[in-house]
Amino acid sequence: VDEVSMIGAKLHRFLLMCKENGAELHLFGDYNQLPPVDDIRIDTSSRYLKWLTDNVQIKYDKCYRTDLKFAMIQQRVASGILPDDFYDDKKVVKTSIVYRHVVRNSVNKSMAKLYGDKGDVGSRIVLKCKYDGLNNNDIFEVVDNKTNLVLKYKFDNNQVDTVTIDESKKEDFLDRCWLGYALTCYMVQGGEIDEPFRIYEWDYSREHAFTAISRATKREYPIIAGHERPEIEEVEDCDMSAFMDECESQ
C-alpha cells in the first residue's frame, strides 16, 4: 500500500481483514503527508500500522535525501513549525500548489492572463481523466496548436517527451483538461517539481505545508505566497475511541 498517510478507518478495517486471511502487507510512504479523503483519519504514525505489519518503509523525496539543510527544514514543517524565509510575493512563477479547488480556479484564471488560456501555445493543462493511454493528472505544456495539438510532458525521473493529439480530437481532448498552472496538493502528492513554484494556503494545515514543500527538487524552488491564514473552519480529528475498541476486540 503506497501513500501510507492516506490510510483511513475504512481502509484500515479492510487491511486488517486481509491480514487475518493470510495476506502479507507492505506499507510505503510518509505519514506526515496528506490525510485520507472522505474517511475517518487515523494516526498512521502510531500503533494502528503496527496492527497491520512491521513492513513499513518511509519514502523520502530526492531533495530530502541529498540536501541535509532542506531536510531539516522539512522536518520542522512536519512538526508544525512554519519557516518565514521562503516568502516572496513579487516573484512570478508558472507553477503553484494550493489546497482548495476554489483557490486553484482563481489562481489558474489569473495565470492564464500571463501564460495563455487552455490550448494556447505555452499554456499548461492537466488531464481530468484517462485518455488514449494518458493518465488522469498528467500535466502537459502546449508547444504547437496550428493543426494538431502537440504537448510536452515529463515522466519518470523528469524525462521529457511529446505527444500529439490529432486535429479531429483536439476539442474533445481539451474538454477533458483543466488549466494546470495551479494544482491541488492531492494532485501532486507522490511527485516532484523541478522548477520554482508558489505555495498558496501555506497555513491551511501542517500536512498541506509539508507535502507541498517536499515536492521541491531543490531548496530554492518553494515560494510561500502571503502571510495571512485563510478564513476557514478548522475540522477536528474524529473521536477514534469506538474504532479502537472495535479493533482491539478482534
Side-chain angles (χ1 to χ4, degrees):
V1 180
D2 201 1
E3 301 300 354
V4 67
S5 69
M6 299 189 72
I7 296 178
K10 294 176 184 176
L11 180 56
H12 193 274
R13 284 193 181 100
F14 174 76
L15 293 174
L16 279 175
M17 291 173 57
C18 293
K19 180 181 179 180
E20 290 170 358
N21 284 280
E24 182 178 346
L25 301 175
H26 294 262
L27 309 180
F28 301 88
D30 190 329
Y31 44 70
N32 288 310
Q33 292 189 20
L34 295 172
V37 180
D38 296 329
D39 198 357
I40 297 175
R41 180 178 182 174
I42 66 173
D43 181 4
T44 52
S45 65
S46 68
R47 55 177 171 159
Y48 294 107
L49 296 187
K50 291 297 183 182
W51 290 343
L52 297 176
T53 180
D54 291 326
N55 300 315
V56 182
Q57 297 186 32
I58 305 302
K59 295 193 304 183
Y60 293 113
D61 296 287
K62 178 181 178 181
C63 192
Y64 190 103
R65 300 190 304 267
T66 58
D67 186 333
L68 179 59
K69 184 175 180 180
F70 193 34
M72 293 173 65
I73 292 172
Q74 291 183 41
Q75 276 302 303
R76 294 185 69 195
V77 173
S79 300
I81 303 171
L82 305 183
D84 291 325
D85 52 348
F86 288 91
Y87 286 97
D88 186 347
D89 285 332
K90 296 181 179 179
K91 187 174 182 178
V92 178
V93 295
K94 201 169 185 177
T95 301
S96 299
I97 298 178
V98 306
Y99 190 83
R100 297 174 295 176
H101 285 287
V102 64
V103 179
R104 178 179 63 84
N105 293 336
S106 176
V107 174
N108 274 327
K109 186 180 295 186
S110 297
M111 299 304 290
K113 297 176 183 178
L114 293 175
Y115 295 107
D117 209 343
K118 190 169 62 175
D120 294 343
V121 173
S123 65
R124 188 169 289 174
I125 55 179
V126 56
L127 195 55
K128 300 177 187 178
C129 55
K130 290 185 177 182
Y131 183 90
D132 197 20
L134 303 174
N135 296 314
N136 61 305
N137 290 338
D138 278 351
I139 303 168
F140 306 93
E141 189 163 309
V142 179
V143 295
D144 191 7
N145 64 359
K146 291 180 181 178
T147 52
N148 299 330
L149 192 66
V150 182
L151 308 169
K152 178 176 69 174
Y153 72 102
K154 293 181 180 180
F155 56 103
D156 295 341
N157 297 319
N158 284 317
Q159 298 179 70
V160 178
D161 202 354
T162 58
V163 60
T164 301
I165 306 298
D166 189 84
E167 184 178 14
S168 62
K169 299 180 179 179
K170 185 162 59 174
E171 185 175 346
D172 177 54
F173 176 80
L174 289 175
D175 285 342
R176 299 167 186 261
C177 293
W178 286 307
L179 280 169
Y181 303 114
L183 305 168
T184 66
C185 211
Y186 279 99
M187 294 169 73
V188 297
Q189 181 172 238
E192 295 180 340
I193 299 180
D194 193 26
E195 63 180 350
F197 63 93
R198 177 165 274 106
I199 304 172
Y200 287 87
E201 305 182 282
W202 173 252
D203 289 346
Y204 195 99
S205 72
R206 174 184 61 82
E207 294 84 1
H208 167 59
F210 175 75
T211 304
I213 199 171
S214 61
R215 300 308 93 208
T217 58
K218 293 183 179 179
R219 190 193 329 159
E220 59 267 27
Y221 284 166
I223 303 167
I224 301 171
H227 289 261
E228 295 184 1
R229 184 181 181 84
E231 294 183 1
I232 55 172
E233 181 180 352
E234 291 293 333
V235 179
E236 298 292 337
D237 285 349
C238 297
D239 181 7
M240 291 297 297
S241 56
F243 171 67
M244 288 182 59
D245 291 342
E246 179 181 339
C247 290
E248 288 177 343
S249 65
Q250 293 181 358

